[in-house]
Amino acid sequence: MKKKYTAKKIVYIILGVLFLGALIMGIRYLVNSNKSKSEQFLTKKAVVQNMDDKVLATGKIVPREEIEIKPNISGIIDKILVSEGDKVVAGQLVATIRIVPSITSINAAQQEINNANLQISNSRINVDNQQKQFAMQQRLYSQGVISKQEYISAQQQLQSTQQVLRNSQQQLNTAQKNLQIARTGTTPELASLATTQIRSKANGTVLEVPVKIGSQVIEANSFNAGTTICSIADLNSLIFEGTIDEAQAGKLKEGMDMNVVIGALQNKSFRGRVTMIAPKGKDENGTIKFPLEGDVFNDTNEYIRAGFSANGEIILSSQKNALLLDEALIQYEKVNGQDKPFVEVLQKDGSFKKTYVKLGASDGINVQILSGITKDSEVKVWNPSDKDKEALKEKQNKK
């Protein structure tokens, strides 16, 4: 029995077919759209520019020679005549010291003087007695009453007594000097060596004044380095002190040119030259660093402060007009057991072709391309960063 379709049913069937077709086309469009988007990649081109293969040393600027002014006598700071940043010349007075007498030392010296005076008095009495005794022995010897041996013995006793007197007088002089030192801090004989006036030993700029008026200072001697009154250095003669990683130490040698970049001076660069690379490294947080020093040439007479942080750039080699590509775009695959570099280059049909490249020097960011691509080749960004992804979205939105 044949099924009869009414006009109303036929309309419903047609509408259903049309709706199903539209739904299928919409799904296909979305799938193709997402597929095309997923296949879109950003590309970058190589650029032609100069590239320097360099080693970076981090450090600071310090004076070539820094002199610490110390007293050669103990006391209390009475006056400070310079401030940090002042320019001084050799011999200029920078501070004065006031001697504080020690009561204990004065009493001890006074006791020594009293003892020496007592010894001198006794020695003089003994000398007078010995002189009288010797005069008598001398007369007896001239008369032939005593032997020559007895005469010589009397002479020796007189000389011995006179020596005791001289020793006592020397002790008195020493005690008097000790008393003078306890009271004034020096003696006339030591005035040129020990002084309460502290003077600069060289021309330069005052870097630091670590003491204040009233501070106790200690003299420099064999057992004590002494108190620093101020430090002075010539800021026209500066050097760079820094460190380099052990992986770079073998590439450097003394006498190589260096650019010293000082961040505090808006990254101004100054000429430099490597003068020392330490033969022994130091462990810094598990990494071996080698100390390095270099001259700094201030051709523009810029005011450079001691202690500025700086970077020393030592140029190992320079490539002129090199074809450079972002090193992050380089991929590697195993070929005959070796890692072979390649990039993916955009073709006219929109596909990417694997292209092997030969690499040259690298500065850690860009790498030199010796062969394989040209400056017009568009290389796929196969590992896009967040910034690259945003750029890709903007590109798709514009389309």
Side-chain angles (χ1 to χ4, degrees), residues 364-381:
I365 299 176
N366 297 315
V367 62
Q368 183 182 12
I369 305 298
L370 300 178
S371 63
I373 62 173
T374 67
K375 64 179 181 178
D376 297 322
S377 301
E378 295 190 18
V379 178
K380 178 200 286 187
V381 180

